[in-house]
């Protein structure tokens, strides 16, 4: 009895808070009435959940969230909602979802309310409807748009990273009263998502239990899918210019005038600074280096070392030790510069891309 009173108080409090928020209450129209529990621990109400994402409106990796247009499908059977088809004159009754909630409240039962666990913005419902079959089987569908949190982003392999996206539907009621099962055939990704930067695939449905609003374990159904980037963009806009800058740095060794080398290398140094700022603008302020960060920082250090090296060669030439300067210059052309960059790229690939 104590558990029943605690749960009832929790749900009544949630309902009162939703009513006090005015228009925000409409963000979950299945939450209208939470004044009774559905199901029993001996016979919990089985609810099917289908999640189909039709569009991806945005992916904000700096804010670590994404926008989506989604179709939710919820199915369950409650004998208390059954009716006589001969009396009504039809086998199926169609409701606006708030009307279904009111009808359920009139006969002493409620609809199984839910929340979107990783929802960050208001959920704007475009269309919604509910149908009730004579045997008490209910089908609720809605099409809505919202912004969802993506806290599982990991950019260590950027731009070769693969990210996971989630859409999590959690029951308000504890698992002992309402249990969820996935509707596989009504879940997945649409054919035209409208997202150009990412390739989204490998959609799957996962079920689990999480701590719900009641403070107890509640069932969760999540649509999980993966995304990786179109690498052509990064090859053309990032890696090709970087290769050109490296080649220019190597070509400097063939100039006899050390002063000119220093000037050109200084210009390259400024370009690397601009590269670093442009790339960091697309990512959050991370506490670790990404693959691209590591390569850029090493290129920056190599270019700085190139300037120092040429200054040292010029000092040797001025001091009358030009033969020694030529030998060091030749050694750098053949070995230090190319092998140095090969070692940097090799280590970056091993440490960031190959090691889990």
């Amino acid at each position: 009895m104590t558990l029943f009173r605690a749960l009832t108080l929790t749900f009544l409090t949630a309902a009162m808070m939703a009513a006090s928020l005015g228009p925000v209450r409409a963000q979950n129209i299945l939450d209208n009435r939470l004044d009774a529990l559905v199901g029993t621990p001996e016979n919990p109400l089985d609810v099917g959940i289908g999640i189909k994402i039709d569009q991806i409106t945005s992916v904000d990796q700096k804010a670590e969230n994404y926008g989506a247009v989604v179709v939710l499908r919820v199915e369950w059977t409650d004998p208390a909602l059954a009716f006589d088809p001969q009396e009504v004159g039809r086998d199926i009754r169609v409701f606006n979802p708030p009307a279904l909630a009111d009808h359920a409240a009139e006969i002493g039962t409620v609809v199984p309310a839910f929340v979107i666990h990783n929802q960050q913005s208001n959920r704007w419902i475009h269309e919604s409807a509910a149908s009730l079959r004579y045997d008490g089987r209910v089908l609720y569908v809605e099409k809505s748009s919202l912004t969802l949190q993506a806290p599982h982003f990991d950019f260590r392999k950027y731009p070769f990273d693969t990210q996971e996206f989630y859409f999590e539907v959690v029951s308000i009621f504890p698992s002992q009263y309402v249990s969820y099962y996935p509707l596989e055939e009504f879940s997945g990704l649409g054919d035209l998502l409208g997202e150009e930067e990412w390739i989204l695939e490998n959609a799957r449905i996962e079920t689990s239990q999480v701590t719900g609003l009641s403070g107890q374990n509640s069932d969760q159904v999540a649509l999980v899918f993966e995304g990786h980037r179109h690498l052509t963009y990064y090859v053309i806009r990032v890696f090709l210019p970087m290769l050109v800058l490296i080649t220019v740095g190597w070509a400097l060794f063939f100039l006899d005038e050390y002063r000119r080398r220093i000037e050109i290398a200084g210009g390259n140094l400024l370009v690397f600074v601009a590269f670093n700022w442009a790339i960091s603008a697309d990512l959050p302020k991370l506490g670790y280096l990404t693959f691209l960060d590591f390569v850029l920082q090493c290129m920056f250090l190599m270019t700085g070392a190139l300037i120092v090296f040429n200054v040292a060669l010029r000092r040797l030439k001025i001091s009358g030790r030009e033969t020694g300067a030529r030998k060091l210059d030749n050694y750098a052309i053949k070995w230090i510069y190319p092998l140095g960059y090969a070692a940097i790229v090799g280590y970056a690939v091993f440490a960031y891309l190959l090691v889990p």
Side-chain angles (χ1 to χ4, degrees), residues 1-13 37 174 177 213-216:
M1 181 62 68
T2 303
L3 174 61
F4 177 83
R5 289 179 178 176
L7 290 173
T8 303
L9 180 60
T10 301
F11 297 142
L12 285 174
T13 304
L37 293 174
Y177 296 100
L213 296 181
S214 65
Q216 300 188 41

Side-chain angles (χ1 to χ4, degrees), residues 84-123:
D84 186 353
Q86 294 182 350
E87 180 181 342
V88 176
R90 63 184 67 181
D91 292 340
I92 295 177
R93 300 176 63 184
V94 178
F95 292 86
N96 287 325
L100 176 63
D102 292 337
H103 174 69
E106 289 176 2
I107 61 177
T109 187
V110 297
V111 291
F114 61 86
V115 295
I116 310 299
H117 193 215
N118 58 328
Q119 177 179 340
Q120 281 194 336
S121 69
N122 286 337
R123 188 166 100 250

